[in-house]
Amino acid sequence: MLKPNQDMNLNPRRLLLATAAIFVFALLWNGLVHMVILRDADAALAGIARPEAERSLWLSLLLTAGIALLFVLSYIRCARNGGIKEGLVHGLSFAVLAGLLVDLNQYLLYPVPGSLAAQWFLFGVVEFAVYGILAGWLYPKQS
């Protein structure tokens, strides 16, 4: 049976630091990917996307923070010894799950080109791999 702050090894300072680092990286990475690299491809979806005036920036930021926190908590719970290598494996596992739930689902539901869904998936793999590296580095389980 789990005992609070023992088996999960919760350290609020490290939890906040890792979550904040992943949150900042997520904002920078998604800005680069969607506003620069995939800008034209994403713009082609304007006809089926919610108009920018109807999008909620604060809700988007809250969602990003929630994903960052969930990622770090799942790393803390799943990593046996911690460290960058385990963080990377966790990030890749999380990426496959997220890619199947999000990218493949988008492809099935909307008229999104398969190549765009594949690019979203590959950029997501890199994104979550970096999340894992950050979690493993900033939240070492062995002190």
Side-chain angles (χ1 to χ4, degrees):
M1 184 159 154
L2 285 177
K3 295 176 182 131
N5 294 332
Q6 183 179 352
D7 291 341
M8 282 188 57
N9 196 25
L10 287 179
N11 179 312
R13 187 176 128 314
R14 289 189 292 166
L15 175 66
L16 183 60
L17 177 64
T19 300
I22 289 171
F23 174 77
V24 169
F25 173 76
L27 295 179
L28 295 172
W29 179 255
N30 283 291
L32 173 68
V33 169
H34 295 289
M35 297 170 79
V36 178
I37 298 170
L38 296 178
R39 181 181 183 148
D40 294 337
D42 285 351
L45 303 175
I48 62 171
R50 182 180 303 278
E52 276 198 49
E54 294 179 21
R55 297 179 194 171
S56 173
L57 177 61
W58 73 268
L59 187 56
S60 179
L61 293 172
L62 184 63
L63 178 62
T64 302
I67 290 170
L69 177 62
L70 178 63
F71 184 89
V72 175
L73 288 172
S74 67
Y75 165 77
I76 294 166
R77 180 68 181 110
C78 295
R80 291 178 188 251
N81 300 314
I84 292 174
K85 184 177 178 181
E86 258 190 286
L88 179 59
V89 170
H90 183 72
L92 294 173
S93 300
F94 210 94
V96 170
L97 177 63
L100 291 174
L101 290 174
V102 177
D103 303 324
L104 182 58
N105 200 33
Q106 297 295 331
Y107 176 73
L108 293 173
L109 291 174
Y110 304 108
V112 175
S115 61
L116 180 57
Q119 289 176 355
W120 286 341
F121 179 78
L122 293 174
F123 282 114
V125 167
V126 172
E127 179 178 5
F128 283 104
V130 173
Y131 287 9
I133 291 167
L134 288 170
W137 177 49
L138 296 171
Y139 203 112
K141 296 193 79 172
Q142 307 282 331
S143 297

